[in-house]
Amino acid sequence: MDIISIEWGLALLLLFVGPVIYIIRAQSQKEKKAIKAITKSSSEEVNITQSELTGNRMIAIDSTNKKLFFVSLPVKKETLTTIDLKKIVDVEVVSKTENKTTAHVALQLKFTDAAKQELAFFDDEVGTDANISLHQAKQWKNVITDLL
């Protein structure tokens, strides 16, 4: 009787833990492929020190060369945005609400030539949860401002 209970316990454990392990591995492989593609498509040597997947986009930073990478997945050279952190003056988190719900979350980068660029973390096409995207945007704002 005890062996059957142990077998059932192990079977149920595998049933619930297996999918979680699979999702974590798939996410990790997706991130590694994206980093490899960024490294290949960049014209200079890149050393990604920090990266994060945000829905179907990825943000990564090379703190040694002070470069920021923002790309849609799957990575294509046309969708890769490379930003020189030396040209950024200020970083803000921008969020817009419509009908008491968050409709847009982005990082707004202000450059030395007074130009602005937004990197969308959540909108109609990007992201799954506005609150998570807002938290991610705030974290990346802190990472970028530390390197300015």
Side-chain angles (χ1 to χ4, degrees):
M1 188 70 166
D2 288 333
I3 294 174
I4 293 173
S5 297
I6 291 172
E7 288 174 350
W8 271 102
L10 288 174
L12 288 173
L13 180 69
L14 286 175
L15 183 68
F16 290 108
V17 174
V20 173
I21 292 171
Y22 174 76
I23 290 170
I24 291 171
R25 284 196 65 216
Q27 189 83 357
S28 174
Q29 288 175 344
K30 191 176 182 183
E31 192 168 351
K32 285 178 185 176
K33 282 183 183 178
I35 290 171
K36 195 174 189 179
I38 288 172
T39 306
K40 274 186 176 179
S41 61
S42 183
S43 58
E44 55 190 62
E45 188 174 325
V46 176
N47 182 24
I48 303 293
T49 53
Q50 189 173 355
S51 64
E52 186 172 14
L53 291 171
T54 58
N56 65 342
R57 296 192 182 170
M58 181 176 181
I59 186 168
I61 200 158
D62 178 356
S63 59
T64 54
N65 295 323
K66 299 220 176 195
K67 300 280 185 189
L68 178 71
F69 302 96
F70 196 72
V71 66
S72 295
L73 299 177
V75 178
K76 296 178 183 166
K77 197 167 187 169
E78 309 86 52
T79 62
L80 178 64
T81 303
T82 304
I83 300 166
D84 189 359
L85 294 177
K86 297 170 194 162
K87 296 180 182 178
I88 295 176
V89 176
D90 190 29
V91 182
E92 290 182 17
V93 176
V94 178
S95 69
K96 297 174 187 166
T97 57
E98 294 175 3
N99 300 328
K100 297 182 182 180
T101 59
T102 305
H104 180 76
V105 175
L107 271 180
Q108 186 178 62
L109 308 173
K110 296 178 184 175
F111 296 95
T112 53
D113 61 353
K116 295 179 183 178
Q117 182 174 0
E118 280 194 1
L119 304 177
F121 277 71
F122 178 82
D123 60 16
D124 295 338
E125 300 169 2
V126 182
T128 55
D129 187 327
N131 292 328
I132 292 172
S133 298
L134 184 62
H135 180 70
Q136 288 174 328
K138 287 179 181 177
Q139 284 181 325
W140 278 98
K141 176 189 181 249
N142 293 335
V143 168
I144 294 169
T145 50
D146 288 346
L147 291 173
L148 295 182

